[in-house]
Coordinates of all heavy atoms in Angstrom, one line a residue:
W59 N -13.7 36.9 -4.6 CA -15.0 36.2 -4.8 C -15.8 36.1 -3.5 O -17.0 36.3 -3.5 CB -14.8 34.8 -5.4 CG -14.3 34.8 -6.8 CD1 -13.0 35.0 -7.3 CD2 -15.1 34.7 -8.0 NE1 -13.0 34.9 -8.7 CE2 -14.3 34.7 -9.1 CE3 -16.5 34.4 -8.2 CZ2 -14.8 34.6 -10.4 CZ3 -17.0 34.3 -9.5 CH2 -16.1 34.4 -10.6
Q60 N -15.1 35.9 -2.4 CA -15.8 35.8 -1.1 C -16.5 37.2 -0.8 O -17.6 37.2 -0.5 CB -14.7 35.6 0.0 CG -14.5 34.1 0.3 CD -13.5 34.1 1.5 OE1 -12.8 35.0 1.9 NE2 -13.5 32.9 2.2
A61 N -15.7 38.2 -1.0 CA -16.2 39.6 -0.7 C -17.4 39.9 -1.5 O -18.4 40.5 -1.0 CB -15.1 40.6 -0.8
A62 N -17.3 39.5 -2.8 CA -18.4 39.9 -3.7 C -19.7 39.0 -3.4 O -20.8 39.5 -3.4 CB -18.0 39.6 -5.2
M63 N -19.5 37.8 -3.0 CA -20.7 36.9 -2.6 C -21.3 37.4 -1.3 O -22.5 37.4 -1.2 CB -20.2 35.5 -2.5 CG -19.9 34.8 -3.8 SD -19.5 33.0 -3.5 CE -19.1 32.5 -5.2
K64 N -20.5 37.9 -0.4 CA -21.0 38.4 0.9 C -21.8 39.6 0.6 O -22.9 39.9 1.3 CB -19.9 38.7 1.8 CG -19.2 37.4 2.4 CD -18.1 37.8 3.4 CE -18.6 38.3 4.7 NZ -17.5 38.5 5.6
A65 N -21.4 40.4 -0.3 CA -22.1 41.7 -0.7 C -23.5 41.4 -1.3 O -24.4 42.3 -1.3 CB -21.3 42.5 -1.6
E66 N -23.7 40.2 -1.8 CA -25.0 39.8 -2.4 C -26.0 39.4 -1.3 O -27.2 39.2 -1.6 CB -24.8 38.6 -3.3 CG -24.1 38.9 -4.6 CD -24.9 39.8 -5.6 OE1 -26.1 39.9 -5.4 OE2 -24.3 40.3 -6.5
G67 N -25.5 39.3 0.0 CA -26.4 39.0 1.0 C -26.8 37.5 1.1 O -27.9 37.2 1.7
L68 N -26.0 36.7 0.5 CA -26.3 35.2 0.5 C -26.1 34.7 1.9 O -25.2 35.1 2.7 CB -25.4 34.5 -0.4 CG -25.5 34.9 -1.9 CD1 -24.3 34.3 -2.7 CD2 -26.8 34.4 -2.5
M69 N -27.0 33.7 2.3 CA -27.0 33.1 3.6 C -26.5 31.7 3.6 O -26.6 31.0 2.5 CB -28.4 33.2 4.2 CG -29.1 34.5 4.2 SD -28.2 35.7 5.4 CE -28.7 34.9 7.0
K70 N -26.0 31.2 4.7 CA -25.5 29.8 4.8 C -26.6 28.9 4.3 O -27.8 29.0 4.7 CB -25.1 29.5 6.2 CG -24.6 28.1 6.4 CD -24.2 27.8 7.8 CE -23.7 26.4 8.0 NZ -23.3 26.1 9.4
G71 N -26.2 27.9 3.4 CA -27.2 27.0 2.9 C -27.8 27.4 1.6 O -28.4 26.5 0.9
D72 N -27.7 28.7 1.2 CA -28.2 29.1 -0.1 C -27.4 28.4 -1.2 O -26.2 28.0 -1.1 CB -28.0 30.6 -0.3 CG -29.0 31.4 0.5 OD1 -30.0 30.8 0.9 OD2 -28.8 32.6 0.6
R73 N -28.1 28.1 -2.3 CA -27.5 27.4 -3.5 C -27.0 28.4 -4.5 O -27.6 29.4 -4.8 CB -28.5 26.5 -4.1 CG -28.5 25.1 -3.5 CD -29.3 25.1 -2.2 NE -30.7 25.5 -2.3 CZ -31.5 25.9 -1.4 NH1 -31.0 25.9 -0.1 NH2 -32.7 26.2 -1.6
V74 N -25.8 28.1 -5.0 CA -25.2 28.9 -6.1 C -24.7 27.9 -7.1 O -24.3 26.8 -6.8 CB -24.0 29.8 -5.6 CG1 -24.4 30.8 -4.6 CG2 -22.9 28.9 -4.9
A75 N -24.8 28.3 -8.4 CA -24.5 27.4 -9.5 C -23.4 28.0 -10.4 O -23.3 29.2 -10.5 CB -25.7 27.0 -10.2
L76 N -22.8 27.1 -11.1 CA -21.8 27.6 -12.1 C -21.9 26.7 -13.4 O -21.9 25.4 -13.3 CB -20.4 27.7 -11.6 CG -19.6 26.4 -11.3 CD1 -18.1 26.8 -11.0 CD2 -20.2 25.7 -10.0
Q77 N -21.9 27.3 -14.5 CA -21.9 26.6 -15.8 C -20.6 27.1 -16.5 O -20.7 28.1 -17.3 CB -23.2 26.9 -16.6 CG -23.3 26.0 -17.8 CD -24.5 26.4 -18.7 OE1 -24.8 27.6 -18.9 NE2 -25.2 25.4 -19.2
L78 N -19.5 26.4 -16.2 CA -18.2 27.0 -16.6 C -17.3 25.9 -17.1 O -17.4 24.8 -16.6 CB -17.6 27.6 -15.3 CG -16.7 28.8 -15.4 CD1 -17.4 30.0 -16.0 CD2 -16.1 29.1 -14.0
R79 N -16.5 26.3 -18.1 CA -15.4 25.3 -18.5 C -14.4 25.2 -17.4 O -14.3 26.1 -16.5 CB -14.7 25.9 -19.7 CG -15.5 25.8 -21.0 CD -14.6 26.0 -22.2 NE -14.0 27.3 -22.2 CZ -14.5 28.4 -22.8 NH1 -15.6 28.3 -23.5 NH2 -13.8 29.5 -22.8
N80 N -13.6 24.1 -17.4 CA -12.6 23.9 -16.4 C -11.6 25.1 -16.4 O -11.2 25.5 -17.5 CB -11.8 22.6 -16.6 CG -12.7 21.4 -16.4 OD1 -13.9 21.5 -16.3 ND2 -12.0 20.2 -16.3
G81 N -11.2 25.6 -15.3 CA -10.2 26.6 -15.2 C -10.1 27.1 -13.8 O -10.9 26.7 -12.9
P82 N -9.1 28.0 -13.5 CA -8.9 28.5 -12.1 C -10.2 29.2 -11.6 O -10.4 29.1 -10.4 CB -7.8 29.5 -12.3 CG -7.0 29.0 -13.5 CD -8.1 28.5 -14.4
E83 N -11.0 29.8 -12.4 CA -12.2 30.5 -11.9 C -13.2 29.5 -11.3 O -13.9 29.9 -10.5 CB -12.8 31.3 -13.1 CG -12.0 32.5 -13.6 CD -11.0 32.1 -14.6 OE1 -10.9 30.9 -15.0 OE2 -10.2 33.0 -15.0
W84 N -13.2 28.3 -11.8 CA -14.1 27.2 -11.3 C -13.7 27.0 -9.8 O -14.6 27.0 -8.9 CB -13.9 25.9 -12.0 CG -15.1 25.1 -12.2 CD1 -15.8 24.9 -13.3 CD2 -15.7 24.2 -11.2 NE1 -16.9 24.0 -13.1 CE2 -16.8 23.6 -11.8 CE3 -15.4 23.9 -9.9 CZ2 -17.7 22.7 -11.1 CZ3 -16.3 23.1 -9.2 CH2 -17.4 22.5 -9.8
V85 N -12.4 26.9 -9.5 CA -11.9 26.7 -8.2 C -12.2 28.0 -7.3 O -12.7 27.9 -6.2 CB -10.4 26.4 -8.2 CG1 -9.9 26.2 -6.7 CG2 -10.2 25.1 -9.0
M86 N -11.9 29.1 -7.9 CA -12.2 30.4 -7.1 C -13.6 30.5 -6.7 O -13.9 30.8 -5.5 CB -11.8 31.6 -8.0 CG -10.3 31.7 -8.4 SD -10.1 33.0 -9.6 CE -8.4 32.7 -10.1
F87 N -14.5 30.3 -7.6 CA -16.0 30.4 -7.3 C -16.3 29.4 -6.2 O -17.0 29.7 -5.2 CB -16.8 30.1 -8.6 CG -18.3 30.2 -8.4 CD1 -19.0 31.4 -8.6 CD2 -19.0 29.1 -8.0 CE1 -20.3 31.4 -8.5 CE2 -20.3 29.1 -7.8 CZ -21.0 30.3 -8.0
E88 N -16.0 28.1 -6.4 CA -16.4 27.1 -5.5 C -15.8 27.3 -4.1 O -16.5 27.2 -3.1 CB -16.1 25.7 -6.0 CG -16.7 24.7 -5.0 CD -16.3 23.3 -5.3 OE1 -15.1 23.0 -5.2 OE2 -17.2 22.4 -5.4
Q89 N -14.5 27.6 -4.0 CA -13.9 27.8 -2.7 C -14.5 29.0 -2.0 O -14.7 28.9 -0.8 CB -12.4 27.9 -2.9 CG -11.7 26.6 -3.3 CD -11.9 25.5 -2.2 OE1 -12.1 25.7 -1.0 NE2 -12.0 24.2 -2.7
A90 N -14.8 30.0 -2.7 CA -15.4 31.2 -2.0 C -16.8 30.8 -1.5 O -17.1 31.2 -0.4 CB -15.5 32.3 -3.0
A91 N -17.6 30.1 -2.3 CA -18.9 29.7 -1.9 C -18.9 28.8 -0.7 O -19.6 29.0 0.3 CB -19.6 29.1 -3.1
L92 N -18.0 27.8 -0.8 CA -18.0 26.8 0.3 C -17.6 27.5 1.6 O -18.0 27.1 2.7 CB -17.0 25.7 0.0 CG -17.5 24.8 -1.2 CD1 -16.4 23.8 -1.5 CD2 -18.8 24.0 -0.9
S93 N -16.6 28.4 1.5 CA -16.1 29.1 2.7 C -17.2 29.9 3.4 O -17.1 30.3 4.6 CB -14.9 29.9 2.4 OG -15.3 31.0 1.6
L94 N -18.3 30.3 2.7 CA -19.4 31.0 3.2 C -20.5 30.1 3.6 O -21.6 30.6 4.0 CB -19.9 32.1 2.2 CG -18.8 33.1 1.8 CD1 -19.4 34.0 0.7 CD2 -18.4 34.0 3.0
G95 N -20.3 28.8 3.5 CA -21.4 27.9 3.9 C -22.4 27.7 2.8 O -23.5 27.2 3.1
L96 N -22.1 28.1 1.6 CA -23.1 28.0 0.5 C -23.0 26.6 -0.1 O -22.0 25.9 0.1 CB -22.8 29.1 -0.6 CG -22.8 30.5 -0.1 CD1 -22.4 31.5 -1.2 CD2 -24.2 30.9 0.5
V97 N -24.0 26.2 -0.9 CA -24.0 24.9 -1.5 C -23.8 25.1 -3.0 O -24.6 25.8 -3.6 CB -25.4 24.2 -1.2 CG1 -25.5 22.9 -1.9 CG2 -25.6 24.0 0.3
V98 N -22.9 24.4 -3.6 CA -22.5 24.5 -5.0 C -23.2 23.5 -5.8 O -23.3 22.3 -5.6 CB -21.0 24.4 -5.1 CG1 -20.6 24.4 -6.6 CG2 -20.2 25.4 -4.3
V99 N -23.8 24.0 -6.9 CA -24.5 23.2 -7.9 C -23.8 23.3 -9.2 O -24.0 24.3 -9.9 CB -26.0 23.7 -8.0 CG1 -26.7 22.7 -9.0 CG2 -26.7 23.7 -6.7
P100 N -23.0 22.3 -9.6 CA -22.3 22.4 -10.9 C -23.2 22.0 -12.0 O -24.1 21.2 -11.9 CB -21.2 21.4 -10.7 CG -21.7 20.4 -9.8 CD -22.6 21.1 -8.8
L101 N -23.0 22.7 -13.2 CA -23.8 22.5 -14.4 C -22.9 22.2 -15.5 O -21.9 22.7 -15.7 CB -24.7 23.7 -14.7 CG -25.6 24.3 -13.6 CD1 -26.1 25.7 -13.9 CD2 -26.7 23.3 -13.3
Y102 N -23.4 21.3 -16.4 CA -22.7 21.0 -17.6 C -22.8 22.1 -18.6 O -23.8 22.7 -18.8 CB -23.2 19.7 -18.3 CG -22.8 18.5 -17.5 CD1 -23.6 17.8 -16.6 CD2 -21.5 17.9 -17.7 CE1 -23.3 16.7 -15.9 CE2 -21.1 16.7 -17.0 CZ -22.0 16.2 -16.2 OH -21.6 15.0 -15.5
T103 N -21.6 22.5 -19.2 CA -21.6 23.6 -20.2 C -22.4 23.3 -21.4 O -22.9 24.3 -22.1 CB -20.2 24.0 -20.6 OG1 -19.6 22.8 -21.1 CG2 -19.4 24.5 -19.4

Side-chain angles (χ1 to χ4, degrees):
W59 287 83
Q60 269 185 343
M63 288 182 183
K64 288 179 73 174
E66 292 287 349
L68 297 169
M69 305 293 290
K70 181 179 178 180
D72 284 345
R73 275 74 64 196
V74 296
L76 70 170
Q77 191 184 44
L78 211 61
R79 289 194 298 265
N80 292 14
E83 292 83 5
W84 214 104
V85 178
M86 295 171 192
F87 178 95
E88 187 190 55
Q89 289 300 329
L92 294 174
S93 68
L94 298 175
L96 304 175
V97 178
V98 176
V99 183
L101 305 167
Y102 286 97
T103 56

